[in-house]
Structures are given as C-alpha cells and as structure tokens.
Amino acid sequence: ENLLSQISGSSYEGIIMRASQVPNAHVARSDFSLPNNMISAGNLTPQKARILLMLGLCNTNNPKEFSNDIRHQFVSAIFARNLGEDVAKRFGDINELKPADLLDPVDSKIDKINNEIGRQYAKQYPNMPRKQLLKLMLKEYPKNKQLIIQKMNEKTEKQKKLEREYL
C-alpha cells in the first residue's frame, strides 16, 4: 500500500503538509490527489511550510482554508513583522526565483501580489496575535482575491509604452 492510501484510510485527525526538499520543486495543489487531511506546500520549502504551521496558524483543521494565497500572505506578514518589510520582500522575491523552464510568470506574479498583501497586513496590524491575524486574512480573503484579480489586470508602464508605440 502506498503512503497516500494509508493516510487517507487512517483515522489521523491532524493536518499533513506535503512538501519537497528538491530545490525549485513544486508540489501540486490538486485537491483530487490529496486525502482530506493533507495539503500541499505548493512552492514553499519544507522549512517555510513547517514554520507556517508552527506559528499557530488557525483554529481549524480544514485544509481547504490553507490556499496558496493565504500561505504567501501570512508568511510574508509574519516575516515583515519579525524581520522588517524589506527583508520580507527579499525572501518573497527569492522564493519566486526559478529556472526558466520551471517559472510560471502568472503564478509568480500572483505570489508576489500575495506577499505584498501580507506585508500590508504587517503594517496595519503589527501587534495582532498570529491566530487572530490569520482569522482576519481568511475572513478578508474574498476582498483580497478581488485585489489580486485587479492587480493582475493592471498594465505595467512598460506594457503601456509598448502599446503606445506599436498600436
């Protein structure tokens, strides 16, 4: 029997984080391949994923509440509060560095927007307990999702200049 079938068939009630130690690896987030109590770390390193879970993330055992967006926002907020906004931005940017064949520019841009949202939470709520901060992020997730969509549709100055020149 493989490990996934053992986990999914067990009575284990906790959350299991699936991550990869391979540099620049990505653990797929497909819900259909994971048991209900297992979540993927996405492109987070096992260490970063473990820190996220150890920080007293939430009062829920529902893995569906741990989206890639929330992971990026929360880790970035905690890093910004503990290490400063500039260091948190650098960590977030470094996390998005991948070889060209592994780079998904859309996913990378979304991750950077989520990191920016997390840093904003750190500014707004510098002393809010972590569990309360995560609850707030989960509550405001629909609003933040709209912000992500809006920012994804914004054109950069370079794109605007190219359009002016060639259209």
Side-chain angles (χ1 to χ4, degrees), residues 29 31 63-74 107 110-111 113-115 117-118 121 125 132-150 152:
R29 288 173 256 187
D31 291 339
K64 304 303 180 213
E65 293 183 5
F66 286 90
S67 73
N68 186 50
D69 297 337
I70 296 294
R71 283 194 306 265
H72 278 271
Q73 291 171 17
F74 188 74
D107 188 52
I110 291 170
D111 290 347
I113 293 168
N114 281 312
N115 291 341
I117 290 169
Y121 274 100
Y125 308 102
Q132 191 177 346
L133 179 64
L134 182 64
K135 281 184 177 182
L136 178 63
M137 288 177 162
L138 290 169
K139 179 182 174 188
E140 293 183 348
Y141 180 74
K143 177 188 77 163
N144 290 334
K145 191 69 174 174
Q146 289 303 314
L147 179 64
I148 293 165
I149 292 167
Q150 176 187 341
M152 287 299 292

Side-chain angles (χ1 to χ4, degrees), residues 41-58:
N43 60 355
L44 296 178
T45 63
Q47 295 81 7
K48 196 172 179 183
R50 181 173 185 260
I51 289 169
L52 181 66
L53 291 173
M54 285 175 38
L55 290 172
L57 294 182
C58 65

Side-chain angles (χ1 to χ4, degrees), residues 17-85:
M17 174 73 75
R18 190 173 74 162
S20 174
Q21 293 186 12
V22 176
N24 299 317
H26 180 82
V27 178
R29 288 173 256 187
S30 55
D31 291 339
F32 60 87
S33 69
L34 301 177
N36 287 337
N37 63 336
M38 183 178 276
I39 57 176
S40 77
N43 60 355
L44 296 178
T45 63
Q47 295 81 7
K48 196 172 179 183
R50 181 173 185 260
I51 289 169
L52 181 66
L53 291 173
M54 285 175 38
L55 290 172
L57 294 182
C58 65
N59 294 327
T60 181
N61 282 339
N62 182 356
K64 304 303 180 213
E65 293 183 5
F66 286 90
S67 73
N68 186 50
D69 297 337
I70 296 294
R71 283 194 306 265
H72 278 271
Q73 291 171 17
F74 188 74
V75 168
S76 188
I78 298 304
F79 282 178
R81 285 181 10 175
N82 293 340
L83 304 171
E85 188 174 349

